Amino acid sequence: MAEVQGIRASLQALQARVGSYFDGADNVQQENGDPLLDVVQQYPEEAAWFIKVVMFFGSVSGVLISIPCSVFLFMYWTPCEQCNRPLRIWVLVHCVLQMMQAPVRLVFFMRLRQIQQRNGDIQECVRQLTQSSAWRMSKAVSIVTYGWFILGVVWLLNSTTCKPCPGLYRLTLAVISTAVARLAMTLIIFYHSFPAQQGERPFPKPRGATQDVIDTMPTVKYCSRSHGCSETNCAVCLGDFEEADEMRQLPCRHHFHRLCIDKWLKRNKVCPLCLQDIQATPGASAKKKN
């Protein structure tokens, strides 16, 4: 009986230790929040769906790629030693990196799924996950994986088919192609997860003004003693104003070199300093501030 209790206590301690690895401390203040948390705060449902799909797809594909590669290396490790590039080492390390990330991705997927089923706080769940040691480890491994992927591409481009181990070149090519396909799939999932945000265009394309509209704004000559503006240089070309320089005054009462601001406004009809639209009505900005 004592032995059973001891085993149970050991399992509980192990479970608590593993759980703390995937949980961030509640009393830890994150000065620089993870970018993923910022996305979840803005679009919780869409971000949760995106994270779940990417984590599940990443963990499953990592295991499915690593198993056949490991079997191949076990069977042909010695013959592949004679190839001109150490592709066998690259495939082995790539499989190890994938297997290291698979449990983390799977746990994140399960946590988010449980939170959604209970209608829990998705933001708090993601906050704890992004503050955990497992998340930091996963990010570090991802950076190493990216560098290792680039190295594998370079080695593959400088390799030829190895007669003692002809399957190694094709295997490496297949692994690299799969990695590229996974990246493309992630981008597709991203665009599918945030369809509404794409249509909103948070950063609209700049629109220019016609020369007729630009000519309606007055021009003045710069005079250091009395020129009617507080600027001493042009914010477009960053050059200092000189005596008798022709300046154009925008509705916001900012001044620029006429040639500089005319060229600017033809591409983007907002003031370079305050970003006010030159065709906006005078009371529009006041209403927005109120």
Side-chain angles (χ1 to χ4, degrees):
M1 189 67 180
E3 294 181 358
V4 174
Q5 292 179 348
I7 295 175
R8 185 176 300 174
S10 300
L11 291 176
Q12 291 177 349
L14 179 61
Q15 184 178 2
R17 199 174 283 182
V18 172
S20 63
Y21 180 68
F22 290 96
D23 288 327
D26 293 333
N27 58 351
V28 174
Q29 296 292 331
Q30 254 190 336
E31 297 181 358
N32 299 320
D34 194 279
L36 182 61
L37 185 59
D38 296 336
V39 177
V40 174
Q41 290 174 347
Q42 296 183 30
Y43 316 110
E45 294 297 331
E46 294 87 346
W49 188 87
F50 171 74
I51 296 171
K52 282 198 310 178
V53 174
V54 170
M55 291 299 175
F56 179 78
F57 179 73
S59 60
V60 173
S61 61
V63 173
L64 293 179
I65 292 171
S66 300
I67 291 177
C69 290
S70 301
V71 173
F72 176 88
L73 293 176
F74 178 78
M75 296 176 60
Y76 301 102
W77 181 261
T78 302
C80 293
E81 185 179 2
Q82 303 179 29
C83 298
N84 63 333
R85 293 285 177 178
L87 295 180
R88 61 173 188 161
I89 302 295
W90 184 89
V91 174
L92 177 62
V93 174
H94 181 80
C95 292
V96 171
L97 294 174
Q98 294 298 313
M99 294 301 293
M100 288 176 62
Q101 288 187 293
V104 178
R105 292 168 175 168
L106 189 59
V107 169
F108 285 6
F109 165 78
M110 295 175 62
R111 291 278 183 90
L112 280 174
R113 184 182 179 185
Q114 292 174 358
I115 288 293
Q116 284 191 313
Q117 289 177 347
R118 299 198 302 261
N119 294 323
D121 190 348
I122 297 176
Q123 295 184 24
E124 178 62 21
C125 176
V126 175
R127 185 193 66 81
Q128 288 198 355
L129 291 175
T130 54
Q131 289 183 2
S132 65
S133 301
W135 181 258
R136 291 193 294 269
M137 184 277 293
S138 180
K139 292 174 66 174
V141 173
S142 296
I143 296 174
V144 174
T145 302
Y146 176 77
W148 192 250
F149 172 79
I150 299 300
L151 180 62
V153 172
V154 174
W155 281 355
L156 186 67
L157 293 176
N158 291 274
S159 299
T160 57
T161 303
C162 183
K163 293 183 178 179
C165 187
L168 180 61
Y169 182 90
R170 294 192 293 269
L171 177 66
T172 307
L173 180 61
V175 172
I176 291 178
S177 301
T178 304
V180 174
R182 286 172 56 185
L183 176 60
M185 183 63 66
T186 301
L187 294 176
I188 294 173
I189 295 173
F190 175 82
Y191 285 115
H192 181 71
S193 302
F194 303 94
Q197 284 68 40
Q198 295 171 22
E200 292 175 2
R201 299 183 67 87
F203 300 101
K205 183 179 180 180
R207 294 184 298 170
T210 63
Q211 189 62 48
D212 292 339
V213 174
I214 297 173
D215 289 338
T216 60
M217 289 172 286
T219 59
V220 294
K221 295 290 184 179
Y222 178 80
C223 178
S224 59
R225 289 170 294 180
S226 176
H227 60 275
C229 72
S230 59
E231 299 93 346
T232 58
N233 61 352
C234 175
V236 178
C237 67
L238 303 181
D240 293 334
F241 291 131
E242 298 181 0
E243 292 293 328
D245 277 355
E246 188 176 14
M247 305 184 301
R248 190 179 294 281
Q249 178 180 302
L250 301 189
C252 56
R253 305 193 68 80
H254 289 134
H255 296 75
F256 310 89
H257 286 134
R258 184 184 65 82
L259 296 178
C260 296
I261 195 61
D262 285 7
K263 186 177 180 180
W264 170 280
L265 294 175
K266 287 179 181 179
R267 296 182 178 179
N268 193 359
K269 58 174 185 171
V270 298
C271 173
L273 289 177
C274 64
L275 302 181
Q276 178 178 321
D277 192 327
I278 63 172
Q279 292 183 285
T281 57
S285 58
K287 290 180 180 179
K288 289 182 180 179
K289 291 180 180 178
N290 294 333

